[in-house]
Every structure is written in C-alpha cells, then in structure tokens.
Amino acid sequence: MSDDTVKYLLPENRIPKSWYNIVADLPEMPAPVLHPGTKQPVGPSDLEPLFPMSIIEQEVATERDIEIPEPVREVYKQWRPAPLYRARRLEKALGTTAKIFYKYEGVSPSGSHKPNTSVPQAFYNKEAGITKLTTETGAGQWGCSLAFAASLFGLDVDVYMVKVSYGQKPYRRALMETYGARCVPSPSMETEAGRKILAEDPESRGSLGIAISEAVELAAQRDDTKYALGSVLNHVLLHQTVIGIEAMEQMEMADADPDVVIGCAGGGSNFGGIAFPYIGRNLREGKNTRILAVEPAACPTLTRGTFAYDFGDTAQLTPLTKMHTLGASFMPPGFHAGGLRYHGMSPLVSHCKELGLMDAISYNQVECFSAAVQFAQAEGIVPAPESSHAVKAAIAEALDAKEKGEERTILFCLSGHGHFDMQAYTDFFDGKLEDKQYDEAALQTALSKLPDVG
C-alpha cells in the first residue's frame, strides 16, 4: 500500500469463514439466562418457541470459532468484505497528530451493519421450516435489514417499529415495505402488550422494549413463526464479529494497529462486532488496545444503568438476562438515534464492562450531529444518528492526541449511513434539534421494579 492510501479493500475470498465467539476467551463465564418464573437457568426447550435450534446452539456456544454457512457467505459477497478507510481529510481538518480509520458498514444493501446477522438468522429459520418472522425496530435499520434477508429466503416478516421513529423515518418504513415486510407502529392494537400500553398511555411514543414485547407475543403463538432480534443476544453479536475480523486484516494492510477501538452502543451489536475480536486479542496476547463504547446521554445504559437481572422487554415476556439496564419499564425520550433507545445492554457487553475489559462514555445528540456534519464535510459520508456517537468520540480522541502532542491510532465503526435520517439533519440546521434529557424520577421508578432473583 502507498503512503497516501485512503481505502483498504479485501477480495471476496477473504470474507471470514468463521465468526468469533468471545465467550471462549473470557476469564469468567457470563451469568446464565434465567426463567422468569422459576429463576433457574433456561434450557433449549424454554427458547424453542422463539428461535430455531441452530440459533439456540449459537446462543450458548463456548467454542472460539463458529463456521459461517456457505449460503450465508454467498450472500455476504454482495457487500463484504466492507471497506476500511483512512480518514485523511478529517485528520487534516482537525490538524491532529492522530491517525483515524473507520470500518464502513453502510455499504450493505440496507445501509448498515445489521444484515451481518439478519442474513444468517433468515437462513437458519428457513432451514428449520419456518415461514414467518416477527421483530422490532427502532430507527428502522434492523427492520430494513431483516426485510431484505427474508426476501432472499422467501420468508414473511412483521416489523413492529417504535412509534416515534415510525413518524420520524418514513423512508425506512417504505424500504421495509419495498422488501416485502409489513411495518406496524408500536405500541399497536394488534397485541395484548400493545393494547395494555395504549390503555395506560394513549399517546405513548413507544420504545424498543414495547416493540419487542409485541413481536415476542405474536411469535410465541404460532408454530410456523419465530422471533428475530437485531441486537443484544449472544448469537447476534457473534454474527457481527465479521466487522472486527476483517478490520484486523485491513489494519495490517495499512501497517497500523489501533490504540483505541470505538463503537456506538445501544443494544451492543455493532460495538461487539468491531470490539470483541480486539478484546479477545487483548486477552489472548496481553495487548492493551483501549475499547470504548459510546452511548446517548438520554439513554445511558452502560454509564448510568444498574448491572442486574432484568427483562429484555416491557411486558416481561422474555427470559431474565444479567445486563446493564435502566429498567424494563424505562421510557427513553424521543431523540433521533432510535437504534440506541433501548433500556438494556447486551449481556456480553455488560459482562465485559464489569470485568474492566472496556470503557463507556455518553454524549448528547446536538454535539453528535455537529460531529457528524464535520465528518460528512471532510469524508463525504453522512453518518446515521446512531453512528454519529462513534464519530463524536473519534474526533474527541483525535483532538485529545493533538492537545497532548501524541501519536494515536483510532479505529471506529461507522455502522451505517444517514440517508433516511435527513429530517434529523434538517432539524439540526434549523436549530430545532434539542438535547433530550431522561426523567430521573422515572428512571428510579423503573429501577425499583427490577426482578428479585434472590
């Protein structure tokens, strides 16, 4: 590679052949998932109403490498390996002594990292004879990605989209429908969970926890239907590790090694995708690459939440997982990064945080959009609101290196583009974008309702 290389590309035959399972390298095993009734660890039969057995096996797997099925790798060829960029123009604009690299996942058909897991989930469900999937979505990135994957494998999809995002992101809704999915604003009158929420609050803006409740409720009622999740669970983060595996090889091409690896974090999927291979390397090889998760200040799960057992959904239909949580009934304000508006964090990411294997920081949305605009004007890519949090953190790291006169190599995951989020940018330019604040009293109330597991 020349000294002025901007993008680092791998050929299709370098698509990873296996996903990386961080559980194999952790010094302590994560806490087990518990049945909400018995408070005992769940078995495969407890999860079978929601997931096919192949997915359940991945959820509890402990081996380091899990083979990627060839039909999945064939679909991956449509956008993988994803490019790694050196942000040379941004570096110049900042006048920094740091090197900034970003792994760009917006090249996928749906515009984000989410197809890395939607494709294998659709594949495994098709193999199990399932004909329909239900799911939730916040900003719509996951709903679009599952709709795309389902269209490839001939599956029907019902997507329950958080109501505030349903209104904010009409083009993501249209993209889901283009792929053949049905998109429903949540809470809805289609489920018992939705009807209960609306009876209590007819003007409810919805949340990912509520939308999960609706999707889980419907999936559990039918033998031909399963539930698909876009973040949080172990198998989802497993599938996303193609991001970090590719990035490691591309960073070698650039003759660089990151001092810090950054990802935005809502449920944990793109963060785990870029970070877990590096955390695993730290554990195996004694390296000290710093790992940084970035979350919204209005929904600060890792930086403000409690590490405890909690439900993954508002209606308390899911098993109990030990994670950083704001409480299953917590209702985040309606900021634009809808994919980060979740009360809980991936149990694996939470476990890594508790073990001191990573750090976390939070930012308000106005400063994130400001960073996103600065990035777009230098690099030409408009980040999704979720991804703008990682951009903000990367710029802060670069400016810190400049102030200290240090060389520093920064790698972050640009998890998706913001082409369907332009209303948010319009609001920013019009001065209408406000920093949303969560209700501290409501947070305390939600945390007071955490289940007692003894």
Side-chain angles (χ1 to χ4, degrees), residues 100-419:
I100 306 173
F101 294 86
Y102 57 96
K103 181 69 167 166
Y104 184 41
E105 291 296 308
V107 294
S108 77
S110 63
S112 79
H113 65 292
K114 295 291 189 177
N116 297 333
T117 184
S118 69
V119 170
Q121 288 193 55
F123 167 76
Y124 289 126
N125 276 282
K126 181 69 173 182
E127 276 210 323
I130 300 304
T131 60
K132 184 175 182 176
L133 297 173
T134 64
T135 196
E136 75 294 327
T137 196
Q141 295 274 27
W142 168 243
C144 291
S145 299
L146 187 64
F148 156 70
S151 71
L152 299 180
F153 292 100
L155 301 172
D156 294 329
V157 178
D158 283 352
V159 181
Y160 289 85
M161 187 174 187
V162 176
K163 188 173 290 183
V164 65
S165 294
Y166 186 90
Q168 289 174 340
K169 323 280 184 183
Y171 297 120
R172 285 240 171 81
R173 183 185 0 150
L175 184 57
M176 290 180 229
E177 292 169 346
T178 300
Y179 287 135
R182 189 174 73 97
C183 186
V184 181
S186 172
S188 76
M189 294 297 290
E190 295 188 355
T191 67
E192 183 178 338
R195 290 189 292 272
K196 181 179 179 181
I197 294 292
L198 290 171
E200 296 172 354
D201 180 9
E203 303 302 318
S204 173
R205 298 186 304 267
S207 71
L208 279 168
I210 294 171
I212 290 171
S213 293
E214 296 207 84
V216 166
E217 178 182 322
L218 290 182
Q221 293 172 355
R222 297 176 59 102
D223 292 337
D224 62 352
T225 302
K226 297 291 185 186
Y227 169 65
L229 183 65
S231 194
V232 181
L233 294 184
N234 297 4
H235 68 273
V236 180
L237 276 68
L238 172 78
H239 300 157
Q240 292 294 352
T241 57
V242 291
I243 301 173
I245 294 169
E246 289 178 4
M248 280 184 164
E249 186 170 349
Q250 289 163 314
M251 290 295 285
E252 288 181 9
M253 294 169 63
D255 193 26
D257 196 45
D259 297 302
V260 58
V261 175
I262 300 169
C264 66
S269 67
N270 97 90
F271 171 76
I274 190 77
F276 279 4
Y278 281 98
I279 293 176
R281 190 183 70 166
N282 283 351
L283 291 168
R284 292 191 307 275
E285 302 178 17
K287 291 185 176 290
N288 59 355
T289 303
R290 188 157 52 93
I291 310 297
L292 182 61
V294 193
E295 60 185 9
C299 192
T301 313
L302 285 168
T303 55
R304 178 63 183 83
T306 297
F307 186 58
Y309 274 103
D310 198 6
F311 292 94
D313 72 311
T314 303
Q316 303 184 355
L317 301 176
T318 64
L320 298 172
T321 56
K322 196 168 188 181
M323 59 183 176
H324 282 268
T325 179
L326 300 169
S329 63
F330 176 74
M331 185 70 65
F335 55 90
H336 272 285
L340 306 184
R341 293 178 70 250
Y342 183 55
H343 71 271
M345 179 57 63
S346 155
L348 276 179
V349 172
S350 299
H351 187 56
C352 288
K353 176 71 163 52
E354 288 298 301
L355 291 176
L357 304 179
M358 52 171 283
D359 298 316
I361 193 171
S362 67
Y363 290 112
N364 286 301
Q365 72 171 349
V366 173
E367 58 187 330
C368 290
F369 272 91
S370 180
V373 170
Q374 186 175 19
F375 179 86
Q377 291 177 354
E379 294 295 310
I381 299 171
V382 179
E386 293 79 10
S387 310
S388 71
H389 292 70
V391 173
K392 167 63 183 174
I395 290 176
E397 285 284 334
L399 292 176
D400 182 66
K402 175 184 177 180
E403 181 180 341
K404 294 176 179 176
E406 296 177 357
E407 291 186 357
R408 192 176 303 176
T409 301
I410 301 161
L411 169 63
F412 74 93
C413 183
L414 186 61
S415 56
H417 66 65
H419 297 172

